[in-house]
Structures are given as structure tokens and as C-alpha cells.
Amino acid sequence: MAQPATLTLFTLDTLGGLQEQEQASQNAAGLKNGERILQRRCLADGTIHFPTNAEERAAYRDKDGKSLSSFQWAVYDFTCTIPVGKLVTYKDVATSIKQGSPRSVGGALKHNPFAPRVPCHRIIASDLSLGGYIGEWTGSKTRTTVGPMGRRKIQLLAEEGIEFDKSRRLKDRTRLWSPSH
């Protein structure tokens, strides 16, 4: 008798690193033979799989077992087009995909299951402050300290050559990318 396929799930730890959450056989996961559920997967080379075709997207479920909305997919697709070392605002995203608001874009990115493959760290607030990252708002108006998620966003952006001043505002405006609308 053949061994059932193995399903390995991964989650982000508090610093944005991958952690193995659970390993179970197909049968233990409640799946019938040949049935698949797509969740965030780490490929053999360490990259995160991002579903790009309709079949994979229809099968995809987040860690809570929920599918993603067409709005979320649109936000994630656009986010993947932002070049390394460049930034856009939440408003730019909403305008570019022609739906939603800056706040709804932030809500979709707050629950981005594909980070950092879908580079939500490249999106900042319209006032050029850092904005949020994985549910932690670090905009300069409302926070006086930066928590672990804000520090992680700053680190990811610094690795791309992007710097912020002491008030967490973008130092170099040439880092802003202007997508075609």
C-alpha cells in the first residue's frame, strides 16, 4: 500500500521567518485521495509558492481555511510588480488596481500569507512614513516606538537600500515608483 501524500504547512514567526506549523498525512488532514488544498508552501529552494493560475487560486486556503477574495489577489498581484529598491503608497495600489481604498489595501496586506514573496514591505503611507507591516502600524503620527514588525520592515527595506529618517519618513523620494495607471 502506498504512503499517503504529506502536507506540510508553514507560518510566519514574529520576525517574518518561516516556521513549520504542522505535518500531517492527507488522510489526517481530512482530504480524500487526489484532493489537494493549497496553503502557503515553502518550495525546496526556500522560496514561497504564490498561486498564479485560476485553479490554484480557487483551491488556495489561508491558515484559517478561508479563500482569498478577488480584491486580495489583485492587491498581491500588483504588489509583485513593485521593483526591488522602490516603494509605492497604499493609495497608489488602490488607484492602480482601480478598486478599494488605501485602508482596504492595508487590510489585504495585513493578512498577506505570501510575505515576503509578495513584497508588502514596499508599500508605505501617503505621507511617506513607514506605514504598517503584518498588522502593526508604525506610521509616525500614531506611534512613538517601532515594534518587532516595524523593525522587520525597516530591515527588509534597508537590505534594498531604502532608508527612513528618525521620524520614520522616507529619506530619498527618488525611491518612489510611479506605476502606469
Side-chain angles (χ1 to χ4, degrees):
M1 180 178 218
Q3 289 281 17
T6 300
L7 177 68
T8 304
L9 308 178
F10 294 86
T11 59
L12 279 175
D13 67 19
T14 57
L15 295 177
L18 282 175
Q19 297 295 313
E20 190 170 320
Q21 178 183 358
E22 171 185 336
Q23 190 172 29
S25 73
Q26 245 186 340
N27 295 341
L31 301 176
K32 297 176 183 164
N33 193 18
E35 193 174 23
R36 293 185 329 149
I37 186 169
L38 289 175
Q39 289 191 305
R40 178 190 169 115
R41 292 185 297 166
C42 186
L43 304 178
D45 65 359
T47 60
I48 296 165
H49 176 70
F50 177 65
T52 56
N53 66 51
E55 181 182 338
E56 285 184 328
R57 288 181 175 191
Y60 181 82
R61 298 293 178 267
D62 68 11
K63 64 182 172 62
D64 298 322
K66 297 178 182 176
S67 60
L68 300 181
S69 70
S70 60
F71 175 74
Q72 287 171 295
W73 287 116
V75 169
Y76 302 152
D77 286 339
F78 177 81
T79 302
C80 287
T81 69
I82 304 167
V84 173
K86 294 292 185 177
L87 300 170
V88 298
T89 67
Y90 296 99
K91 181 180 179 182
D92 290 334
V93 177
T95 302
S96 294
I97 65 172
K98 296 179 173 69
Q99 57 182 312
S101 66
R103 188 171 294 239
S104 63
V105 167
L109 294 171
K110 176 180 179 179
H111 300 288
N112 174 9
F114 308 106
R117 166 66 177 82
V118 173
C120 53
H121 62 280
R122 295 184 188 142
I123 302 174
I124 61 173
S126 291
D127 68 358
L128 306 185
S129 65
L130 194 58
Y133 189 63
I134 310 179
E136 179 185 286
W137 184 257
T138 55
S140 60
K141 291 180 182 175
T142 58
R143 296 276 312 236
T144 56
T145 61
V146 178
M149 296 301 103
R151 287 191 297 276
R152 177 68 176 145
K153 183 172 182 173
I154 291 168
Q155 176 189 3
L156 289 168
L157 292 172
E159 289 170 5
E160 295 182 17
I162 299 171
E163 297 178 331
F164 289 82
D165 63 22
K166 289 181 182 180
S167 65
R168 295 185 300 281
R169 290 197 190 281
L170 181 64
K171 280 186 174 182
D172 181 1
R173 293 180 69 93
T174 65
R175 293 297 187 155
L176 291 173
W177 180 59
S178 184
S180 301
H181 295 267

